[in-house]
């Protein structure tokens, strides 16, 4: 499997359950071993593939399969029989990797004790290669230091490239940088060095060429078409809701008008529960297949909440200006359309538009959260009215 599908696997399987657990959690599934926690300091001896995700991961031992790690601070002193993939803010490789190594980090380093049997691919702001590489080396970084024996070809794209006293390259070197550097002859002969100048102007020219091939900014007609499609979507959604659940829709609308502050707070609670479902579901490992459904639930709730919030606020303004409390369905759709258009225009005002849209989402989700609570435990408002009613002599 190529590096990109593997990296996608790491992101999907490891990044979702990354929360600060108090202790290391270990589980197995299909021959794979999974470790997660806030601070994972683990000595491993696994037969299949190994997955580790933590805020800080320090792992040693050995594994006979692939190894995948993600975290803020990652330290790997593991003898890996196959490939090693690591992502983090800081990644340090100290063990032996029999096949390929792939690292993406802000600071990436292979120490002198590390041994890479196959190809090594590293990406980061600062990249230090001190351990020998048995295959080819590919590096993208701002500051790159090579201080190891490289058996294959080397390709580097960097702002600055330097060589340590132990650096030797058996293959060819192709480096891309702003300025040409003098590669020491002890590293390799000059006839095997290729320099490709890279500059801000060149990158800008290439970006402009991409822009000519595929316009980066949408035309006014495209923007209007997208807005009309969005408006039509919300009108169809509103027609369906008014047709299939008019009473429930009216009840949720009135709950927003009656207690907007309380509804806003319920929206925060409801949205927090939805977003919390993602890491909680992923943390169980066996629930990973259901994570996409949790993400889909967030999208659906966000869309419905936005439409309900806009409709409720617009109806409240309509009634406040002397309109009928129970207009026809056509009039309600027109009110919803006017609300969507007005809120869309607010998006052109920095910050204000975002706050208005987010407030509408919270109001709508809050009304749906109230409705869900009442469906589970009964109408809390009625109970409160009865309990708080003063007793007359």
């Amino acid at each position: 499997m190529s590096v990109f599908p593997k990296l996608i696997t790491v992101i999907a399987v490891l990044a979702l359950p990354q929360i600060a657990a108090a202790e290391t959690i270990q589980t197995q599934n299909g021959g794979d071993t999974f470790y997660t926690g806030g601070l994972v300091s683990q000595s491993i001896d696994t037969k299949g593939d190994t997955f580790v995700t933590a805020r800080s991961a320090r792992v040693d031992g050995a594994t006979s399969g692939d190894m995948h790690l993600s975290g803020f601070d990652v330290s790997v002193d593991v003898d890996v029989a196959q490939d090693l993939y690591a992502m983090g803010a800081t990644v340090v490789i100290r063990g032996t990797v029999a096949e390929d190594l792939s690292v993406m980090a802000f600071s990436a380093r292979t120490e002198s004790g590390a041994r890479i049997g196959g190809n090594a691919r590293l990406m980061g702001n600062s990249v230090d290669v001190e351990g020998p590489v048995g295959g080819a080396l590919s590096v993208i970084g701002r500051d790159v230091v090579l201080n190891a024996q490289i058996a294959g070809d080397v390709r580097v794209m960097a702002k600055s490239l330097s060589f340590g006293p132990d650096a030797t390259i058996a293959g060819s070197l192709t480096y891309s940088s702003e300025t040409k550097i003098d590669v020491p002859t002890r590293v390799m002969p000059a006839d095997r060095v290729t320099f490709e100048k890279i500059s801000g102007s060149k990158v800008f020219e290439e970006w402009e060429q991409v822009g000519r091939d595929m316009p980066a900014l949408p035309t006014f007609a495209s923007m209007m078409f997208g807005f009309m499609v969005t408006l039509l979507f919300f009108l169809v959604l509103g027609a369906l809701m008014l047709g299939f659940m008019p009473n429930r829709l009216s009840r949720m609308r009135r709950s927003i008008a009656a207690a907007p502050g309380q509804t806003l707070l319920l929206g925060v609670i409801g949205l927090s529960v939805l977003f919390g479902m993602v890491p909680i579901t992923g943390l169980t490992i066996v629930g990973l297949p259901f994570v996409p459904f949790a993400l889909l639930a967030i999208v659906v709730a966000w869309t419905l909440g936005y439409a309900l919030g806009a409709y409720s606020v617009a109806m409240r303004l309509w009634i406040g200006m002397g309109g009928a409390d129970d207009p026809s369905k056509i009039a309600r759709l027109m009110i919803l359309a006017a609300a969507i258009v007005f809120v869309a225009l607010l998006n052109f005002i920095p910050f204000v538009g975002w706050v208005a849209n987010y407030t509408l989402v919270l109001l709508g989700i809050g009304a749906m959260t109230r409705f869900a609570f009442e469906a589970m435990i009964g109408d809390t408002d009625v109970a409160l009215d009865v309990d708080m009613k003063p007793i007359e002599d």
Side-chain angles (χ1 to χ4, degrees), residues 27-385:
T27 186
Q28 291 183 336
N29 184 39
D32 297 335
T33 304
F34 300 86
Y35 297 93
T36 187
L39 173 61
V40 173
S41 181
Q42 189 73 32
S43 181
I44 67 170
D45 184 12
T46 54
K47 303 302 179 184
D49 293 345
T50 305
F51 298 82
V52 179
T53 176
R55 184 179 66 255
S56 177
R58 300 181 180 275
V59 188
D60 58 45
T63 178
S64 61
D66 295 335
M67 184 146 199
H68 309 257
L69 302 100
S70 73
F72 187 83
D73 182 15
V74 177
S75 175
V76 189
D77 191 4
V78 177
D79 293 333
V80 182
Q82 296 184 29
D83 298 332
L84 171 61
Y85 303 87
M87 294 188 303
T90 302
V91 175
V92 180
I93 308 298
R94 297 186 171 93
T96 299
V97 181
E99 297 184 8
D100 297 337
L101 169 69
S102 300
V103 175
M104 183 166 56
F106 185 81
S107 174
R109 185 171 84 254
T110 65
E111 293 195 346
S112 57
R115 299 289 185 274
I116 312 302
N119 297 336
R121 311 125 178 165
L122 300 99
M123 178 185 298
N125 182 69
S126 63
V127 179
D128 296 289
V129 181
E130 300 179 1
V133 178
L137 173 64
S138 303
V139 180
I140 298 177
R142 178 181 175 86
D143 302 308
V144 177
V145 178
L146 299 183
N147 188 31
Q149 297 178 355
I150 312 298
D153 297 334
V154 176
R155 188 171 187 92
V156 178
M157 179 182 291
K159 183 177 180 62
S160 67
L161 172 62
S162 58
F163 300 90
D166 297 328
T168 59
I169 300 175
S172 62
L173 168 63
T174 302
Y175 70 97
S176 302
S177 183
E178 294 181 350
T179 58
K180 189 175 182 179
I181 64 173
D182 293 328
V183 180
T185 55
R186 61 178 172 78
V187 177
M188 63 185 307
D191 59 354
R192 288 194 274 117
V193 178
T194 302
F195 168 63
E196 296 178 351
K197 182 177 177 58
I198 182 172
S199 64
S201 60
K202 181 179 179 181
V203 173
F204 183 72
E205 291 172 1
E206 293 178 351
W207 176 251
E208 283 188 334
Q209 181 61 40
V210 173
R212 286 192 291 269
D213 295 337
M214 183 177 62
L217 295 176
T219 63
F220 178 77
S222 299
M223 294 176 61
M224 285 301 299
F225 178 76
F227 172 72
M228 294 303 298
V229 171
T230 302
L231 179 60
L232 180 61
F233 167 78
F234 279 109
L235 288 179
V236 172
L237 179 63
L240 290 174
M241 296 299 100
L242 289 171
F244 287 95
M245 46 182 297
N247 295 332
R248 294 179 182 178
L249 188 62
S250 179
R251 184 175 179 183
M252 287 188 287
R253 172 179 65 83
R254 288 186 170 89
S255 69
I256 294 176
Q262 186 182 77
T263 305
L264 197 68
L265 178 60
L266 287 173
V268 174
I269 296 173
L271 197 59
S272 301
V273 171
L274 288 173
F275 275 99
M277 287 172 57
V278 177
I280 295 300
T281 303
L283 183 62
T284 62
I285 303 299
V286 294
L288 284 172
F290 299 98
V291 169
F293 295 99
L295 295 173
L296 180 61
I298 294 174
V299 174
V300 172
W302 190 284
T303 304
L304 293 177
Y306 177 78
L308 177 58
Y311 171 71
S312 301
V313 172
M315 282 294 298
R316 183 68 183 87
L317 293 174
W318 167 265
I319 296 172
M321 291 186 296
D325 184 66
D326 190 19
S328 65
K329 292 181 180 180
I330 299 297
R332 294 183 184 186
L333 287 177
M334 294 301 100
I335 293 172
L336 174 61
I340 297 298
V341 171
F342 180 75
V343 176
L345 293 176
L346 285 179
N347 287 326
F348 289 96
I349 304 177
F351 183 72
V352 174
W354 176 84
V355 171
N357 281 271
Y358 188 52
T359 301
L360 293 177
V361 171
L362 290 179
L363 287 173
I365 294 180
M368 293 188 292
T369 302
R370 179 193 295 274
F371 183 83
F373 284 168
E374 291 178 354
M376 290 185 295
I377 63 177
D379 192 343
T380 55
D381 289 338
V382 174
L384 181 62
D385 291 342

